[in-house]
Amino acid sequence: VAGIIRWSLESVAAELSTPAGGEKQDQSINARFIILDPNGEYSQAFTDDTLLMRRFAVGGKDSAKPLTVPGWLWNGQEWAAFTDAKPGTQRPILLSALRQLRNADASVASARAQAIRRYNGYISQIERLYSDLPQSITKPRSNDFGSLLEGLVKMIKSDVKVFAAYGEDAADLAAIIKAIYDPIEAIRKSRHWTSATSSGYNNFHPDDLQKVLTELRNVTESFPVSTSHKENSEDAPIRFDIADLPDRIHDVAMAMGGQALSYVEPLINRIQVMLSDSRLRPVIDTDGAESLDKWLSELMGGSEENNAPLTILDLSLVPSDVIHITIAIIARIVFQALQYHLQEDGEPLPTVLVLEEAHNFIRKDADAGVNEQAANLCRQTFERIAREGRKFGLGLVLASQRPSELSPTVLAQCNSFLLHRIVNDVDQNLVRRLVPDALGGLLGELPTLPSQQAILLGWAVPNPVLVRIRDLQKNQRPRSDDPKFWDVWVGKAGTRPDWQAIAKSWEQTYEETSQEPEAQTTQE
């Protein structure tokens, strides 16, 4: 794989330096190879200064740029897969929370519309409760209604701050929302009790509900929602602070009422644990990119100052919890970027996406021990790229030791195959179906092929042919040599481990990331 990329780019460089017309072209290579490297093998293969490259790794390992895939770039499906949100109640509430966060910094009209919808949600919930109400709300429903009021007054306080920040454009809405806070909070406090060991609510009466409804209607009837107003969807790449997501999910669930909050509490807990994980935070943190255009420019280049044709994404330190999502998001964004480029420019931008260990990420069936939603999403993303990518200029290079485990949809779209030694019977049978029966004898050599020899077939050649891969200098090869067991055992190679230094480096990785929020708080 390293050879194919190197020889391709060297051929382009040679063409630019000595074109067919004889006149040298003074321009840089306008090619793009993006390597998704889950084992961190390729970083050393392109450090000889003959090819320009961009290299990214978690935490900026070995002088690389920090690898980030900020949470605000994720779409709703990717967030649902990452959090393992269940389709019944959790996923709709999660998507609603994402929509609200993506619209939080939009126009005043958008913010108004969101707020009024939230208050209408509370009204609907209270009306449902009011319709089958006896003389009073008895326990445990009194505690449920008290919790609903807690969420409501918390939302009112937040909205007052939000709309006050808009200034004169939203002063009228801020004033009327502020006016309903004291009456509703007074009702809540009048029924609330506390003791040394617990707290709760005494029975609410119908008059309490009617007063709360009256206050809420003062807001919704004064500012009706325009049906023509358009909002950003949950998939829009609009920047927001992912730390706000758990609280926003809580608010949406409270507004829905019923058992919604109890259904989403496990989801909220999962997200809070994930966002506090020091291994994940450097990858998904909101501060990972200032804007979509800067993130794309860093990843794919484009300007004369950032024109390296090769991007290496070292994913070796990306936690297993998020590796499938990380790869799926990067692939999806590259694909969509090329779609929009074609729409704007009228011409495709040829780009090659290279995925190592493809059988781990484009499996035809779920892999035990991984997030099934995330694994399925990753497979579906590459299946779509395999089917539709070429019309937008996106090509795929997939490297795998187990082709029989790959998605049949992706395999069916591959037009050229370079087959090295294959010993497994299942993999051999799969490969035999790729060629006509008359050429089946050639594939009989697969189990005995020596290193560097392979069978090339498909669109790249008129007929299948046995080829030998050219040599690469040692400093141009990926770090994928087999361990030298005997030489290390007898002392001819290798070193003895310094576990103290290893443990210090290991612990430091977590200490540095876990101390970042504390340092920021101290500074503030």
Side-chain angles (χ1 to χ4, degrees):
V1 175
I4 289 173
I5 295 170
R6 174 176 291 277
W7 301 322
S8 299
L9 294 177
E10 286 177 351
S11 299
V12 176
E15 173 69 17
L16 290 175
S17 61
T18 56
E23 183 179 348
K24 182 177 180 179
Q25 301 181 38
D26 186 17
Q27 65 182 64
S28 58
I29 298 175
N30 190 24
R32 280 161 187 81
F33 282 84
I34 301 173
I35 303 178
L36 301 171
D37 180 14
N39 295 326
E41 297 174 318
Y42 284 85
S43 297
Q44 71 174 37
F46 299 96
T47 56
D48 54 352
D49 296 329
T50 58
L51 294 174
L52 297 176
M53 71 168 178
R54 292 176 293 272
R55 190 168 66 84
F56 299 85
V58 176
K61 182 186 73 171
D62 297 335
S63 302
K65 294 182 179 180
L67 173 67
T68 60
V69 189
W72 59 268
L73 276 175
W74 304 12
N75 63 28
Q77 188 180 13
E78 288 155 357
W79 269 109
F82 172 63
T83 59
D84 197 23
K86 303 300 183 286
T89 302
Q90 292 182 351
R91 190 176 299 175
I93 291 178
L94 170 65
L95 298 182
S96 178
L98 288 170
R99 280 195 298 275
Q100 291 185 16
L101 288 171
R102 294 194 193 279
N103 286 280
D105 294 329
S107 65
V108 175
S110 174
R112 285 176 184 267
Q114 285 191 71
I116 300 307
R117 288 193 181 98
R118 291 198 298 271
Y119 290 109
N120 275 325
Y122 274 99
I123 288 174
S124 298
Q125 183 179 349
I126 296 172
E127 285 177 339
R128 287 197 299 270
L129 180 63
Y130 197 86
S131 63
D132 61 347
L133 191 67
Q135 293 302 313
S136 63
I137 306 177
T138 57
K139 296 178 181 179
R141 298 178 74 187
S142 59
N143 285 334
D144 292 340
F145 186 66
S147 297
L148 182 145
L149 292 183
E150 289 176 6
L152 177 58
V153 296
K154 181 180 177 182
M155 186 181 75
I156 292 171
K157 290 177 69 175
S158 174
D159 284 345
V160 170
K161 292 180 181 179
V162 168
F163 290 106
Y166 281 111
E168 293 183 3
D169 292 339
D172 51 353
L173 182 57
I176 196 169
I177 292 177
K178 185 177 181 180
I180 72 171
Y181 175 81
D182 287 338
I184 294 178
E185 176 66 350
I187 293 171
R188 187 192 71 82
K189 285 185 174 180
S190 68
R191 305 299 180 186
H192 187 250
W193 60 266
T194 59
S195 68
T197 58
S198 62
S199 64
Y201 287 90
N202 293 318
N203 296 346
F204 286 90
H205 296 284
D207 286 347
D208 298 326
L209 276 70
Q210 188 58 54
K211 289 176 183 177
V212 173
L213 284 173
T214 300
E215 297 296 335
L216 292 176
R217 286 173 180 148
N218 285 339
V219 177
T220 58
E221 292 174 2
S222 300
F223 302 94
V225 178
S226 172
T227 56
S228 62
H229 175 69
K230 294 183 179 179
E231 290 187 338
N232 295 317
S233 76
E234 63 272 12
D235 298 335
I238 306 298
R239 186 184 176 92
F240 68 90
D241 189 347
I242 59 175
D244 294 337
L245 182 57
D247 287 341
R248 187 55 60 98
I249 293 174
H250 180 275
D251 293 344
V252 173
M254 288 295 295
M256 289 182 65
Q259 298 295 314
L261 183 59
S262 61
Y263 289 142
V264 300
E265 279 180 344
L267 174 67
I268 294 172
N269 292 336
R270 282 201 302 274
I271 295 176
Q272 288 173 334
V273 169
M274 290 170 175
L275 296 184
S276 63
D277 191 331
S278 59
R279 303 170 306 150
L280 299 181
R281 193 168 56 245
V283 180
I284 68 175
D285 193 56
T286 302
D287 296 331
E290 296 179 10
S291 61
L292 177 60
D293 66 300
K294 290 187 177 181
W295 193 87
L296 287 173
S297 179
E298 283 288 305
L299 176 70
M300 303 181 68
S303 65
E304 287 299 319
E305 298 79 20
N306 188 20
N307 60 3
L310 178 61
T311 301
I312 299 176
L313 303 178
D314 182 346
L315 305 172
S316 57
L317 292 182
V318 175
S320 58
D321 317 58
V322 75
I323 184 67
H324 285 81
I325 286 292
T326 300
I327 289 176
I329 292 170
I330 293 171
R332 190 262 303 172
I333 292 177
V334 169
F335 181 40
Q336 286 190 318
L338 297 181
Q339 288 178 306
Y340 281 104
H341 178 277
L342 180 61
Q343 177 179 315
E344 291 292 320
D345 194 70
E347 294 289 338
L349 182 66
T351 301
V352 180
L353 196 60
V354 182
L355 178 60
E356 264 286 357
E357 305 292 347
H359 52 278
N360 290 330
F361 306 105
I362 318 178
R363 294 179 64 91
K364 64 182 180 182
D365 50 16
D367 190 8
V370 303
N371 182 328
E372 186 174 349
Q373 278 198 63
N376 289 337
L377 177 65
C378 192
R379 186 194 71 250
Q380 292 163 8
T381 300
F382 280 92
E383 287 179 344
R384 186 184 178 195
I385 292 173
R387 289 194 304 265
E388 307 172 19
R390 61 173 57 91
K391 70 183 74 169
F392 302 104
L394 182 57
L396 273 179
V397 173
L398 305 176
S400 172
Q401 292 78 43
R402 293 303 311 275
S404 62
E405 295 180 1
L406 288 171
S407 160
T409 300
V410 174
L411 272 178
Q413 297 298 322
C414 292
N415 52 37
S416 295
F417 296 85
L418 191 61
L419 307 173
H420 291 267
R421 180 169 60 245
I422 297 178
V423 179
N424 185 275
D425 290 342
V426 178
D427 293 323
Q428 289 182 35
N429 291 333
L430 173 71
V431 169
R432 285 193 178 92
R433 293 199 295 269
L434 300 176
V435 300
D437 293 339
L439 299 173
L442 181 63
L443 299 184
E445 304 293 329
L446 283 176
T448 59
L449 283 178
S451 296
Q452 292 186 262
Q453 291 197 14
I455 297 173
L456 177 61
L457 59 118
W459 289 9
V461 288
N463 294 298
V465 59
L466 183 65
V467 299
R468 184 184 185 279
I469 309 301
R470 281 185 284 167
D471 290 313
L472 283 172
Q473 299 176 26
K474 186 173 180 60
N475 65 340
Q476 297 176 352
R477 302 174 196 165
R479 188 172 51 243
S480 57
D481 292 338
D482 293 333
K484 298 180 179 179
F485 280 84
W486 180 256
D487 288 350
V488 173
W489 288 350
V490 300
K492 292 182 180 179
T495 60
R496 295 189 180 276
D498 183 351
W499 293 119
Q500 185 176 3
I502 292 170
K504 184 177 180 181
S505 174
W506 192 341
E507 293 163 354
Q508 208 167 30
T509 302
Y510 290 87
E511 290 172 359
E512 289 173 356
T513 53
S514 61
Q515 287 173 358
E516 285 175 3
E518 295 181 7
Q520 184 180 0
T521 304
T522 304
Q523 186 177 3
E524 291 173 355

